[in-house]
Amino acid sequence: MKDLEKTYEYLQQFLTEERLKKIEHFAPESSDFVLPVVEDVYQFRNAAAIVRSVEACGFHKVVALQEEHSFEPNLKVTKGADTWVEVERLPRNMESFQNIKDRGYKMVAVSLEKNAKFLPDYEITEPIALVFGTEMEGVSQEVLDFADETLAIPMYGFTRSFNVSVAASICMYELKQKLIKSNIDYKLNEEKLLRMKIRWAVNSMRSGPQIFEKYLRDNNFNF
């Protein structure tokens, strides 16, 4: 922890007062209690809209399971949200599914299959990895077979589903409201919070990665 505190203190000298205030203001509300996972999303506008919605709801990581397509958000659509949201890219296979589950997440696929629970009625009691499928096919059968449960958004018209980025927005917002109203300690612990602030600081700096890497080398720190 002391190394993290020293690192963050060092990086602050490269930030404007306004940027530092923003980091300190928004960081405490961040959470990894809900981890959005997307399967092979290929439209860059959808990728960007997902990142933007995730950040707006105070969740600052997306796992992109890639197979045929790379998850590449359109920076014009993200409106700067890509500065704050970490995108972890993993191959779309069973090893990656298990990797996520091993981190302590219940796997919840957003799909009408397998006696899905509807979002308004869903009770979130433990960390969940919320899996969204591809634009055309939805959640894959592999994920459905692996998932602990499924979650669905009620539909009131002829259309059977929302666009993936819209579905992500609705789910992330609704789940955030449920967490706020609960007694769950859903926010980041002290170490995770510091690591996120460091990442935000580096992303806010000109030549941030180079400055950060040099600092780590000079001080023999691991991050």
Side-chain angles (χ1 to χ4, degrees):
M1 282 293 294
K2 287 186 178 180
D3 287 352
L4 293 175
E5 290 169 354
K6 284 183 63 177
T7 301
Y8 183 51
E9 184 178 351
Y10 170 78
L11 294 174
Q12 289 180 34
Q13 67 182 300
F14 300 100
L15 302 175
T16 64
E17 184 178 349
E18 180 183 6
R19 179 51 59 96
L20 181 58
K21 283 182 178 179
K22 282 187 176 181
I23 290 174
E24 290 297 323
H25 176 74
F26 290 110
E29 188 55 43
S30 185
S31 172
D32 61 357
F33 205 85
V34 179
L35 178 67
V37 179
V38 294
E39 276 197 281
D40 214 31
V41 168
Y42 63 89
Q43 293 186 4
F44 58 84
R45 289 186 177 276
N46 280 336
I50 291 168
V51 167
R52 186 173 172 182
S53 296
V54 167
E55 198 288 319
C57 292
F59 300 101
H60 292 99
K61 183 167 185 173
V62 173
V63 174
L65 301 176
Q66 300 181 154
E67 186 173 40
E68 297 180 13
H69 308 284
S70 179
F71 186 84
E72 300 297 339
N74 182 312
L75 300 186
K76 290 183 179 179
V77 180
T78 60
K79 299 294 185 181
D82 52 295
T83 300
W84 315 112
V85 176
E86 177 186 2
V87 177
E88 179 182 5
R89 293 172 174 84
L90 296 174
R92 184 181 165 277
N93 55 35
M94 293 305 297
E95 288 76 12
S96 295
F97 301 156
Q98 188 62 52
N99 176 304
I100 295 168
K101 195 166 187 176
D102 289 345
R103 301 178 196 181
Y105 288 99
K106 176 191 285 188
M107 297 291 285
V108 180
V110 179
S111 172
L112 282 167
E113 308 293 330
K114 293 178 64 177
N115 297 315
K117 297 177 182 177
F118 283 117
L119 181 59
D121 304 321
Y122 186 75
E123 293 185 15
I124 181 168
T125 59
E126 60 186 295
I128 64 172
L130 198 61
V131 187
F132 299 92
T134 63
E135 286 92 343
M136 295 296 293
E137 303 298 329
V139 177
S140 68
Q141 190 60 50
E142 293 94 331
V143 168
L144 287 173
D145 291 340
F146 189 79
D148 297 296
E149 57 187 4
T150 54
L151 181 66
I153 302 170
M155 307 297 297
Y156 303 103
F158 291 103
T159 304
R160 290 192 68 249
S161 64
F162 288 105
N163 168 280
V164 63
S165 64
V166 175
S169 300
I170 293 171
C171 288
M172 299 307 293
Y173 185 83
E174 181 70 17
L175 290 169
K176 180 58 177 284
Q177 299 309 305
K178 290 177 182 290
L179 288 172
I180 290 172
K181 295 172 184 175
S182 75
N183 294 318
I184 296 172
D185 182 12
Y186 65 88
K187 297 180 183 180
L188 298 179
N189 63 33
E190 190 175 355
E191 180 179 342
K192 287 181 178 179
L193 188 62
L194 261 176
R195 289 183 180 278
M196 189 185 67
K197 286 181 180 181
I198 289 169
R199 181 166 55 80
W200 284 2
V202 171
N203 289 347
S204 299
M205 295 155 45
R206 183 174 297 179
S207 302
Q210 293 84 355
I211 293 171
F212 182 48
E213 289 170 12
K214 182 178 186 305
Y215 174 81
L216 294 179
R217 285 198 308 270
D218 292 347
N219 291 274
N220 197 28
F221 287 171
N222 292 316
F223 182 75

